[in-house]
Amino acid sequence: MKPPAPYLPPVSPALSDADQDALTDLYVRGTPANTLRAYERDLLYITAWKSARFGTPLDWPESEATALAFLLDHARDLSDASDTDVAREAAEALIAQGLRKSLTCPAPSTLDRRVASWLAFHRMKNLTGPFGAPQVKQARAKARRAAARPPAPKSAHPITRDILEQLLATCRGSRRDCRDRALLMLGWASGGRRRSELTGLMREDVSLKEFKEKGLAWLMLLETKTTAKGETPRLVLKGRAAQALVHWIEVGQIKDGALFRPVSKSDRVLKRRLSPDAIYQIVKHRLKLAGLPEDFASPHGLRSGFLTQAALDGAPIQAAMRLSLHRSVAQAQKYYDDVEITENPATDLLG
């Protein structure tokens, strides 16, 4: 099944062809790449769900009855439903297409994201979505509460400093080792970078003007999840992390273009950039070499590990956030709370 074309702004008779093209281009340029990919996946899922559930394509605007059915179908565990249940039959069709993993109730965050995408498609077409209707709105709130569950960590364990040292010890002398050492150290020491931020770095985003004199390397992140274009944060690397980055740039002969690149089996540095999935494979590979389970941590463990280590070392949360670029103090505080509660004197009252 081919992904449907993105539902961008509809053709308006008031606009010329050039203006219509400019409006479509504005939507694409003004939306982060990860969000566009999420929109495409959600649109594919929603389209397939309605086709399986009602045998019809999406309507614009969509009816309140369809929106309510979507919420009800995704607010219960369908593995307990009868084989003739229409919601279960639709779910099984989605599983057969590889669009759904199981009959169990999806996470509230997944449902919220799909609803948000559906609303975004309506706004793109200058239409009002059905999810603002009182009954639909109330059902959505009840579905969220009924399916509430503790959020699963993005990484099974944080990659704290001791774990990071074990991973770095597996990086020896090949170009691939040099790249992985630099990637892991930059990803951790610069505040816990996301995969998209690591793969998006260009050689032009790295300044080494102060490296020889002060041992500093400066990074510019052109766009992150919590900052927009024009708000380019500058982050600093020092010590071993800066040295590892400079060594990789020299060994990989990175003069321009992508900073982190694939390395062939013959240890030749390629020109294209690493994919976000490659970061996952690198972490998985280094965990295995270090004698740890491959699922011990994910790339997000670099981010959670940085904040956890900052809390363990007593670094002020504001200082850690200046590097992690967390927008919410409450979000960053979770890592500090997990550490601080073990040091709370009240936990020793029984002796």
Side-chain angles (χ1 to χ4, degrees), residues 72-92:
L72 295 175
D73 283 8
H74 294 82
R76 60 192 176 108
D77 186 345
L78 295 175
S79 57
D80 297 330
S82 68
D83 293 341
T84 57
D85 188 298
V86 290
R88 176 169 180 149
E89 290 176 344
E92 288 173 340

Side-chain angles (χ1 to χ4, degrees), residues 86-135:
V86 290
R88 176 169 180 149
E89 290 176 344
E92 288 173 340
L94 293 173
I95 292 172
Q97 295 176 56
L99 298 175
R100 181 168 176 160
K101 292 182 179 180
S102 70
L103 294 172
T104 57
C105 183
S109 58
T110 301
L111 181 58
D112 278 345
R113 193 198 69 238
R114 286 173 178 155
V115 169
S117 295
W118 209 343
L119 287 170
F121 302 145
H122 280 80
R123 288 194 297 269
M124 290 176 189
K125 299 176 80 65
N126 203 28
L127 299 171
T128 301
F131 291 95
Q135 188 179 39

Side-chain angles (χ1 to χ4, degrees), residues 176-229:
R176 186 188 300 270
D177 289 334
C178 292
R179 180 204 63 191
D180 291 359
R181 182 188 297 111
L183 188 150
L184 290 170
M185 294 187 83
L186 183 152
W188 196 92
S190 65
R193 303 274 57 88
R194 302 176 180 89
R195 289 188 296 172
S196 59
E197 294 166 2
L198 289 171
T199 57
L201 277 171
M202 307 290 284
R203 173 62 184 87
E204 295 79 12
D205 301 331
V206 179
S207 173
L208 301 177
K209 292 181 179 179
E210 297 184 58
F211 179 72
K212 287 186 178 180
E213 182 180 348
K214 300 181 180 179
L216 302 180
W218 290 91
L219 309 175
M220 289 193 304
L221 296 180
L222 296 185
E223 189 172 2
T224 74
K225 185 178 178 181
T226 53
T227 61
K229 292 178 181 177

Side-chain angles (χ1 to χ4, degrees), residues 75-342:
R76 60 192 176 108
D77 186 345
L78 295 175
S79 57
D80 297 330
S82 68
D83 293 341
T84 57
D85 188 298
V86 290
R88 176 169 180 149
E89 290 176 344
E92 288 173 340
L94 293 173
I95 292 172
Q97 295 176 56
L99 298 175
R100 181 168 176 160
K101 292 182 179 180
S102 70
L103 294 172
T104 57
C105 183
S109 58
T110 301
L111 181 58
D112 278 345
R113 193 198 69 238
R114 286 173 178 155
V115 169
S117 295
W118 209 343
L119 287 170
F121 302 145
H122 280 80
R123 288 194 297 269
M124 290 176 189
K125 299 176 80 65
N126 203 28
L127 299 171
T128 301
F131 291 95
Q135 188 179 39
V136 179
K137 190 174 181 180
Q138 186 179 43
R140 185 182 176 190
K142 297 295 184 184
R144 189 183 297 115
R145 175 169 291 187
R149 65 187 73 167
K154 295 180 181 178
S155 178
H157 297 90
I159 299 176
T160 48
R161 187 166 48 229
D162 59 331
I163 302 299
L164 179 66
E165 294 290 4
Q166 293 182 53
L167 303 188
L168 295 176
T170 70
C171 301
R172 311 232 180 243
S174 68
R175 289 187 177 90
R176 186 188 300 270
D177 289 334
C178 292
R179 180 204 63 191
D180 291 359
R181 182 188 297 111
L183 188 150
L184 290 170
M185 294 187 83
L186 183 152
W188 196 92
S190 65
R193 303 274 57 88
R194 302 176 180 89
R195 289 188 296 172
S196 59
E197 294 166 2
L198 289 171
T199 57
L201 277 171
M202 307 290 284
R203 173 62 184 87
E204 295 79 12
D205 301 331
V206 179
S207 173
L208 301 177
K209 292 181 179 179
E210 297 184 58
F211 179 72
K212 287 186 178 180
E213 182 180 348
K214 300 181 180 179
L216 302 180
W218 290 91
L219 309 175
M220 289 193 304
L221 296 180
L222 296 185
E223 189 172 2
T224 74
K225 185 178 178 181
T226 53
T227 61
K229 292 178 181 177
E231 299 177 358
T232 309
R234 285 183 80 224
L235 302 174
V236 66
L237 279 184
K238 57 176 64 175
R240 295 166 58 201
Q243 293 167 11
L245 177 60
V246 171
H247 186 55
W248 160 242
I249 290 174
E250 292 174 350
V251 168
Q253 299 182 352
I254 313 296
K255 297 179 181 179
D256 53 30
L259 182 61
F260 293 116
R261 309 174 180 192
V263 177
S264 70
K265 291 183 179 179
S266 60
D267 212 32
R268 184 171 60 89
V269 179
L270 306 182
K271 292 185 177 181
R272 67 177 186 270
R273 72 175 66 236
L274 283 175
S275 67
D277 183 64
I279 307 295
Y280 174 82
Q281 297 299 330
I282 288 170
V283 171
K284 181 179 177 181
H285 176 62
R286 293 299 164 183
L287 286 167
K288 182 178 180 180
L289 291 179
L292 295 167
E294 293 180 2
D295 59 355
F296 180 85
S298 71
H300 191 269
L302 295 171
R303 188 164 176 80
S304 60
F306 170 81
L307 283 164
T308 300
Q309 193 65 54
L312 287 168
D313 290 356
I317 189 171
Q318 294 83 358
M321 288 178 63
R322 286 193 66 181
L323 289 177
S324 69
L325 301 178
H326 272 87
R327 187 162 46 192
S328 164
V329 176
Q331 186 69 27
Q333 185 67 45
K334 293 178 182 179
Y335 301 100
Y336 274 65
D337 288 344
D338 288 344
V339 170
E340 291 170 357
I341 197 170
T342 64

Side-chain angles (χ1 to χ4, degrees), residues 23-46:
L23 180 59
T24 299
D25 178 65
L26 182 63
Y27 270 78
V28 173
R29 289 188 295 108
T31 307
N34 286 346
T35 303
L36 287 174
R37 284 192 289 270
Y39 279 170
E40 186 175 31
R41 290 194 303 269
D42 291 340
L43 181 59
L44 177 60
Y45 181 90
I46 294 164

